[in-house]
């Protein structure tokens, strides 16, 4: 069984710092590497201490939001990470802007902390971390990180060792993607953040046709169901219209890139349709505003058809009623009349949006619309409790009299959309992330009722691993010449050759080739094709062995070989002094050559399991032949009684008892070479083999040594054939012994 391990380092039963580690078959993948917007300094990082960064092969980033990518420079530059990083083209273009802007914000916060300490105090909003720890990366580290990013197009397959992955459109924000990962024929789909509805500029997420073995899915809104898009747009625009028509100012905290562009499109269209609002200014307060819109204009082709068609007439991102503010000095900002301001960050934890809120929240004519998801430990989330007062960035408490409304345009799926996606993809296992604990538990319960019985659904907390086990799939594809029946002579079926296509192979056909495995995929190819389809090359090892044969004669060797082997071929060559002719013997159709030399015999063969065993048997016969010369001279056969009735040495007669004894002694010698501790009773044809092995005690978890005893009995029949009986408690050892003796029988018959 193969074990797949999934460990959330962030966004496990929480929203923020999305970061997950997936391990399977010796490969490790990290999915996203974000920060938690509700914390500061190193506290906002994922729990990196639960993973060895050097083990990560690939890091996949789904989109540019900081809660999915904000820790990227820290992880790549300040840990031992040496893997590869992949994201889509728009994600890389935008993430560079966001991370530089976030670096500027961290430096400002660090300076503020230092100033607070210099003044002898620290308010409740300041981080307890030191200024050095509050800045997660430097500008140089960020540049180095950006250079390491590799780009991926939607639907293009990328291979990194045994890992394959490709991206689908996820909606949510420009460039956001779902990642389908394939390892050893198992598929894992990671959604990141995704949206299942078309909006004014983005398409809905794609539904992959491949059913994943594991689906890692967001559960941000749990079992909640959103109002329709039309209802939300109406509530959004009318709420803004009511505030500004009443002389108030409307603050819309948003992240500089992402959903802000969608809201700008909606509001610009609403202003066009309402002439009475034309004199009310709309400000987009962001240093990145110009650069951000250029990025969006560059990737118009990745947006929906509505935007692409509009682009043929005019640029939809050149707004008629929205002004870009590269910087906002709160003290000098003219807010004497009604206005609308889009300002970052979206959760009011700091920056321009927080300073404007502190300035406007005491006036009941003003309003705030929270248009995105609000994370715990942020002011945007705290306002949902309708507090009477809040603490400003300066540490002062002030009343909240402005109106606060939540109108979600966060582009996360609700329960209905999430279930439709999960049902369509038909996963065998579902892992829920990116949601508060109670939301995920309710979602898990509802999915358990609706999904097919047997579907595994889990929602692990941070740093708690989920282990899933899969049967290992064993198959091999036939490639190259072997896959072409017209050129293949290496298969048969009842000795009948078929000359049609490869699809005509049937169970029982014999196919001969080389089996090799690369990146968990097995192939069978002709040896001639190995150079084309694999890094393997075909070679051979020719072995030559010189064995002393002092005092032995060609006749003695000839007699021993003919008694032990059938079809011994013989060739004569030059004359050697005192030896007469110098014969050469060939065994097993020429696989082993035995050549007589003066006081020596030379064996040569091409190495293979069969020929190596044949050579071992021949060496054993040579050793025995040197001591059997006297017996041959007396009886005409080695250790036999093949003399004629008149006592003269006659024609050699093969005696079954003598041959069987000889075979048993060769078997004993071969077993001793393989297993060392062998005791034998040659007369009974029995052998006792003792093999030492090490095994882990399942109770104590300690390595213990044990001795495996294997019993063998060889029984000969009248036709010089034999029956092997092997008994052993360890099937592997017993199989090895039997295979060894079967090979010996094959080469000595």
């Amino acid at each position: 069984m193969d074990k797949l391990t999934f460990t959330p380092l962030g966004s496990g039963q929480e929203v923020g710092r999305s970061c997950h580690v997936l391990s399977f078959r010796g490969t490790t993948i990290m999915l996203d590497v974000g920060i938690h917007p509700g914390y500061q300094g190193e506290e906002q990082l994922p729990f990196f201490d639960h993973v060895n960064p050097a083990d990560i092969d690939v890091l996949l980033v789904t989109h540019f939001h900081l809660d999915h990518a904000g820790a990227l420079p820290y992880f790549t530059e300040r840990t031992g990470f040496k893997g590869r990083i992949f994201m889509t083209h728009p994600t890389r273009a935008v993430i560079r802007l966001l991370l530089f802007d976030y670096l500027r914000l961290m430096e400002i916060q660090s300076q503020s902390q230092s100033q607070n300490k210099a003044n002898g105090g620290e308010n409740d909003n300041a981080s307890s971390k030191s200024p050095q720890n509050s800045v997660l990366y430097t500008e140089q580290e960020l540049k180095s990180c950006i250079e390491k990013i590799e780009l991926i197009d939607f639907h293009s397959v990328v291979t990194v060792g045994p890992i394959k992955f490709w991206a689908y459109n996820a909606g949510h924000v420009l460039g956001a993607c779902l990642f389908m990962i394939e390892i050893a024929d198992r598929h894992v789909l990671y959604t990141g953040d995704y949206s299942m509805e078309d909006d004014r500029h983005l398409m809905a997420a794609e539904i992959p046709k491949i059913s994943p073995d594991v689906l890692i899915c967001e559960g941000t809104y749990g079992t909640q169901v959103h109002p329709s898009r039309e209802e939300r747009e109406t509530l959004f625009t009318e709420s803004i219209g009511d505030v500004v028509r009443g002389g108030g100012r409307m603050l819309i905290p948003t992240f500089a890139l992402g959903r802000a562009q969608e809201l700008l499109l909606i509001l610009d269209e609403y202003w066009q349709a309402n002439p009475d609002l034309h004199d009310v200014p709309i400000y987009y307060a962001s240093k990145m505003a110009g650069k951000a819109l250029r990025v969006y204009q560059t990737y118009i082709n990745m947006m929906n058809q509505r935007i692409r068609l509009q682009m043929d007439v005019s640029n939809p991102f050149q707004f008629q009623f929205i002004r870009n503010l590269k910087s906002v000095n709160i003290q000098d900002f003219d807010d004497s009349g009604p206005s609308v301001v889009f300002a970052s960050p979206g959760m009011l934890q700091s920056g321009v949006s927080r300073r404007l809120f502190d300035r406007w929240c005491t006036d009941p004519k003003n309003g705030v619309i929270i248009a995105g998801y609000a994370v715990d430990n942020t002011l945007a989330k705290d306002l949902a409790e309708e507090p009477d007062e809040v603490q400003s960035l300066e540490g002062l408490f002030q009343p909240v009299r402005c109106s606060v409304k939540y109108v979600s345009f966060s582009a996360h799926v609700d329960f209905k959309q999430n279930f439709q996606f999960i049902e369509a993809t038909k996963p065998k296992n579902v892992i829920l992330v990116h949601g508060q604990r109670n939301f995920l538990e309710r979602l898990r319960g509802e999915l358990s009722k609706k999904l097919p019985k047997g579907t595994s659904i889990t929602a692990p907390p941070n740093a708690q691993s989920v282990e899933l086990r899969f049967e290992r799939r064993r198959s091999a594809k036939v490639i190259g010449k072997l896959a072409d029946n017209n050129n293949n002579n290496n298969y048969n079926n009842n000795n009948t050759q078929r000359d049609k296509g490869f699809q005509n192979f049937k169970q029982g056909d014999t196919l001969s080739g080389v089996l090799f495995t690369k990146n968990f995929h097995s192939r069978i190819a002709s040896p001639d094709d190995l150079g084309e389809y694999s890094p393997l090359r075909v070679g051979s090892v020719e072995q030559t062995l010189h064995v002393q044969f002092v005092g032995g004669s060609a006749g003695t060797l000839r007699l021993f070989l003919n008694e032990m082997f059938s079809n011994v071929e013989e060739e004569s060559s030059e004359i050697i002094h005192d030896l007469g002719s110098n014969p050469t013997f060939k065994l097993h159709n020429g696989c082993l050559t035995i050549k007589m030399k003066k006081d020596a015999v030379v064996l040569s063969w091409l190495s293979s399991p069969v020929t190596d065993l044949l050579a071992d048997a021949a060496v054993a016969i040579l050793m025995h032949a040197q001591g059997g010369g006297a017996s041959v001279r007396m009886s005409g056969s080695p250790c036999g009684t093949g003399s004629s009735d008149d006592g003269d040495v006659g024609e050699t007669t093969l005696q079954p008892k003598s041959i069987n004894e000889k075979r048993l002694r060769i078997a004993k010698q071969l077993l001793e070479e393989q297993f060392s501790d062998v005791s034998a009773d040659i007369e009974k044809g029995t052998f006792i083999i003792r093999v030492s092995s090490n095994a882990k005690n399942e109770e104590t978890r300690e390595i213990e040594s044990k001795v495996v005893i294997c019993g063998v009995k060889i029984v000969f029949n009248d036709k010089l054939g034999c029956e092997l009986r092997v008994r052993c408690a360890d099937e592997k050892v017993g199989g090895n012994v039997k295979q060894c003796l079967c090979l010996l029988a094959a080469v000595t018959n």
Side-chain angles (χ1 to χ4, degrees):
M1 298 286 284
D2 292 326
K3 182 176 72 173
L4 182 148
T5 303
F6 172 83
T7 307
L9 305 183
S11 77
Q13 297 185 0
E14 68 172 358
V15 177
R17 58 180 163 201
S18 288
C19 185
H20 316 287
V21 175
L22 184 71
S23 300
F24 186 59
R25 295 289 295 273
T27 63
T28 305
I29 301 171
M30 179 173 282
L31 304 169
D32 284 332
V33 57
I35 58 171
H36 196 300
Y39 302 106
Q40 294 186 25
E42 293 181 356
E43 291 181 350
Q44 56 191 330
L45 293 172
F47 296 95
F48 290 139
D49 51 333
H50 288 270
V51 67
N52 182 0
D55 293 339
I56 306 296
D57 300 299
V58 174
L59 169 54
L60 304 179
V61 178
T62 57
H63 63 286
F64 55 68
H65 278 157
L66 292 179
D67 64 322
H68 288 257
L72 181 62
Y74 179 93
F75 188 70
T76 62
E77 307 306 311
R78 297 193 179 185
T79 71
F81 173 73
K82 301 297 181 185
R84 298 171 67 181
I85 313 161
F86 291 89
M87 61 184 67
T88 63
H89 292 257
T91 299
R92 183 184 184 275
V94 175
I95 211 170
R96 181 179 179 276
L97 300 176
L98 285 179
L99 291 176
F100 269 107
D101 186 66
Y102 189 61
L103 172 61
R104 177 186 60 81
L105 179 61
M106 286 189 293
E107 290 173 340
I108 292 174
Q109 291 175 340
S110 177
Q111 292 172 3
S112 176
Q113 292 170 25
S114 298
Q115 189 172 6
N116 267 343
K117 291 182 179 181
N119 293 335
E122 200 174 290
N123 64 50
D124 293 338
N125 286 335
S127 170
S128 61
K129 293 287 184 180
S130 66
Q132 291 76 16
N133 289 335
S134 64
V135 180
L136 300 179
Y137 51 86
T138 65
E139 183 174 344
Q140 186 57 45
E141 287 173 334
L142 176 54
K143 291 179 179 178
S144 176
C145 168
I146 297 298
E147 291 174 357
K148 297 174 182 177
I149 296 173
E150 300 179 56
L151 301 175
I152 182 174
D153 295 315
F154 288 133
H155 308 123
S156 64
V157 179
V158 177
T159 301
V160 180
I163 306 169
K164 289 184 179 179
F165 57 90
W166 55 96
Y168 298 98
N169 173 52
H172 191 62
V173 293
L174 179 65
C177 67
L178 321 169
F179 276 112
M180 180 71 81
I181 303 162
E182 179 185 338
I183 308 172
D185 292 327
R186 295 293 178 182
H187 292 87
V188 178
L189 178 61
Y190 174 54
T191 66
D193 295 348
Y194 75 108
S195 171
M196 289 296 292
E197 64 179 9
D198 287 315
D199 58 27
R200 292 182 178 255
H201 73 294
L202 294 177
M203 296 175 284
E206 298 177 81
I207 299 178
K209 295 181 179 180
I210 298 175
S211 293
D213 297 283
V214 182
L215 171 63
I216 305 166
C217 183
E218 72 153 300
T220 311
Y221 283 102
T223 55
Q224 293 182 17
V225 178
H226 296 323
S228 69
R229 180 166 187 82
E230 291 75 16
E231 290 178 296
R232 283 178 284 147
E233 286 191 10
T234 299
L235 177 60
F236 177 70
T237 53
E238 289 184 353
S239 297
I240 295 173
D242 291 345
V243 168
V244 296
R245 287 187 177 103
R249 291 148 293 191
M250 176 63 78
L251 172 64
I252 306 174
T254 60
F255 293 105
L257 292 164
R259 303 316 298 166
Q261 281 64 39
E262 176 74 6
L263 299 178
L264 292 172
L265 287 169
I266 294 172
L267 203 58
D268 194 60
E269 184 178 303
Y270 180 74
W271 245 241
Q272 293 178 35
N274 291 271
D276 62 310
L277 299 177
H278 289 183
D279 293 333
V280 177
I282 304 174
Y283 299 109
Y284 177 28
S286 171
K287 287 187 175 181
M288 297 181 293
K291 294 179 181 179
L293 292 178
R294 283 196 293 272
V295 170
Y296 271 68
Q297 293 164 14
T298 300
Y299 295 103
I300 286 287
N301 63 313
M302 302 182 75
M303 300 182 193
N304 60 26
Q305 187 176 12
R306 175 183 180 276
I307 288 291
R308 293 198 300 270
L309 292 176
Q310 188 175 346
M311 192 68 181
D312 294 335
V313 179
S314 62
N315 188 340
F317 292 105
Q318 289 182 351
F319 301 110
Q320 182 176 353
F321 295 99
I322 296 170
R323 308 175 192 177
N324 293 331
L325 296 178
K326 292 185 178 181
S327 63
V328 177
N329 187 330
I330 299 301
Q331 302 302 323
D332 299 332
F333 182 61
D334 182 9
D335 58 355
S336 56
S339 63
V340 180
V341 178
F342 289 82
S344 62
M347 299 188 194
L348 294 170
Q349 64 268 44
S350 59
V352 175
S353 63
R354 179 58 183 275
R355 293 198 295 272
L356 285 175
F357 177 84
D358 289 347
R359 181 168 176 169
W360 291 349
C361 70
T362 58
D363 189 341
K365 292 190 299 181
N366 298 333
V368 177
I369 291 182
I370 308 298
Y373 185 86
V375 174
D376 284 346
N377 298 314
T378 62
L379 179 59
K381 182 71 170 182
D382 295 341
L383 290 175
E385 303 297 328
E386 299 182 358
D388 293 330
E389 60 180 14
V390 296
Q391 189 177 21
S392 70
L393 286 177
E394 287 73 25
L396 302 176
F397 286 91
Q398 55 187 13
V400 178
R401 298 193 180 99
C402 65
S403 64
V404 178
K405 292 187 178 181
Y406 286 80
V407 185
S408 176
F409 288 92
S410 63
H412 292 278
V413 288
D414 63 7
F415 172 72
K416 182 178 178 180
Q417 297 161 348
N418 212 1
F419 172 69
Q420 289 174 347
F421 180 86
I422 296 172
E423 186 180 40
T425 55
K426 300 177 181 177
K428 301 176 183 65
N429 302 275
V430 179
I431 301 176
L432 301 174
V433 297
H434 201 279
Q436 297 301 322
R437 179 179 178 180
N438 56 338
F439 281 30
L440 294 184
E441 287 300 325
R442 287 197 290 267
L443 176 59
R444 179 184 177 184
E446 288 300 314
L447 291 177
S448 298
K449 299 175 186 177
K450 294 177 176 292
L451 293 179
K453 187 177 181 180
T455 304
S456 168
I457 308 172
T458 56
N462 286 332
Q464 181 173 306
S465 297
V466 174
E467 294 185 355
L468 302 173
R469 298 188 180 274
F470 299 96
E471 291 282 350
R472 181 168 295 190
R473 292 171 175 168
R474 301 182 183 275
S475 63
K477 292 184 179 180
V478 180
I479 59 175
K481 295 178 181 177
L482 291 186
D484 183 3
N485 283 0
N486 295 320
N487 299 322
N488 176 33
N489 296 317
N490 291 323
Y491 75 96
N492 61 75
N493 185 22
N494 298 324
N495 298 321
T496 301
Q497 176 90 8
R498 293 191 297 271
D499 58 0
K500 296 183 179 180
F502 175 70
Q503 64 274 15
N504 288 325
F505 274 116
K506 295 181 179 178
Q507 185 173 356
D509 288 355
T510 300
L511 193 67
S512 177
V514 178
L515 173 67
F516 62 93
T517 300
K518 181 180 180 182
N519 295 337
F520 306 128
H521 296 286
S522 296
R523 305 284 187 268
I524 301 176
S526 166
D528 297 336
D529 289 338
L530 287 179
E532 181 177 355
Y533 295 104
S534 78
L536 301 176
R537 299 295 181 267
V538 179
S540 59
V541 178
E542 183 174 357
Q543 299 203 53
T544 301
L545 182 64
H546 293 256
V547 180
Q548 278 193 330
F549 197 62
V550 180
S553 66
T556 303
L557 180 57
R558 182 183 300 112
L559 188 59
F560 273 79
L561 291 176
N562 278 287
E563 285 198 356
M564 297 309 301
F565 300 101
S566 60
N567 301 322
V568 178
E569 302 174 19
E570 182 177 346
E571 297 176 357
S572 297
S573 54
E574 73 271 14
I575 303 297
I576 297 180
H577 182 65
D578 295 333
L579 285 177
S581 63
N582 178 24
T584 299
F585 302 97
K586 293 185 177 180
L587 309 181
H588 209 62
N589 297 321
C591 291
L592 175 65
T593 300
I594 303 173
K595 189 172 184 179
M596 293 287 297
K597 297 286 187 181
K598 185 177 181 180
D599 296 333
V601 173
V602 179
L603 292 80
S604 58
W605 70 97
L606 286 177
S607 186
S608 73
V610 173
T611 55
D612 289 348
L613 188 59
L614 182 66
D616 290 342
V619 170
I621 291 172
L622 287 172
M623 297 294 99
H624 197 70
Q626 292 189 71
S631 172
V632 172
R633 288 190 290 272
M634 291 177 63
S635 64
S637 66
C639 302
T641 56
S643 59
S644 60
D645 291 340
D646 58 7
D648 295 332
V649 175
E651 184 178 353
T652 300
T653 302
L654 302 178
Q655 299 296 327
K657 183 177 181 181
S658 175
I659 294 174
N660 293 345
E661 182 180 341
K662 185 68 63 177
R663 288 178 172 175
L664 290 170
R665 294 187 183 279
I666 292 174
K668 178 177 181 295
Q669 183 173 350
L670 179 64
L671 290 172
E672 288 176 339
E673 291 178 355
Q674 298 293 327
F675 302 101
S676 69
D677 189 354
V678 179
S679 58
D681 188 331
I682 299 298
E683 291 185 1
K684 295 181 180 180
T686 59
F687 303 86
I688 302 296
I689 304 167
R690 294 175 176 82
V691 180
S692 298
S693 65
N694 294 326
K696 181 182 287 186
N697 188 310
E698 294 299 331
E699 295 182 358
T700 63
R701 312 301 294 176
E702 295 181 353
I703 301 299
E704 298 179 351
S705 60
K706 66 176 182 177
V707 176
V708 178
I709 299 177
C710 186
V712 179
K713 184 174 180 61
I714 303 177
V715 181
F716 294 98
N717 56 38
D718 294 338
K719 296 182 179 181
L720 297 181
C722 68
E723 177 186 352
L724 299 177
R725 300 174 185 172
V726 180
R727 291 187 178 181
C728 186
D730 190 307
E731 291 183 3
K732 184 176 181 181
V733 174
N736 291 341
V737 171
K738 191 168 185 178
Q739 183 181 18
C740 178
L741 292 172
C742 286
L743 288 173
L744 176 63
V747 300
T748 57
N749 284 330

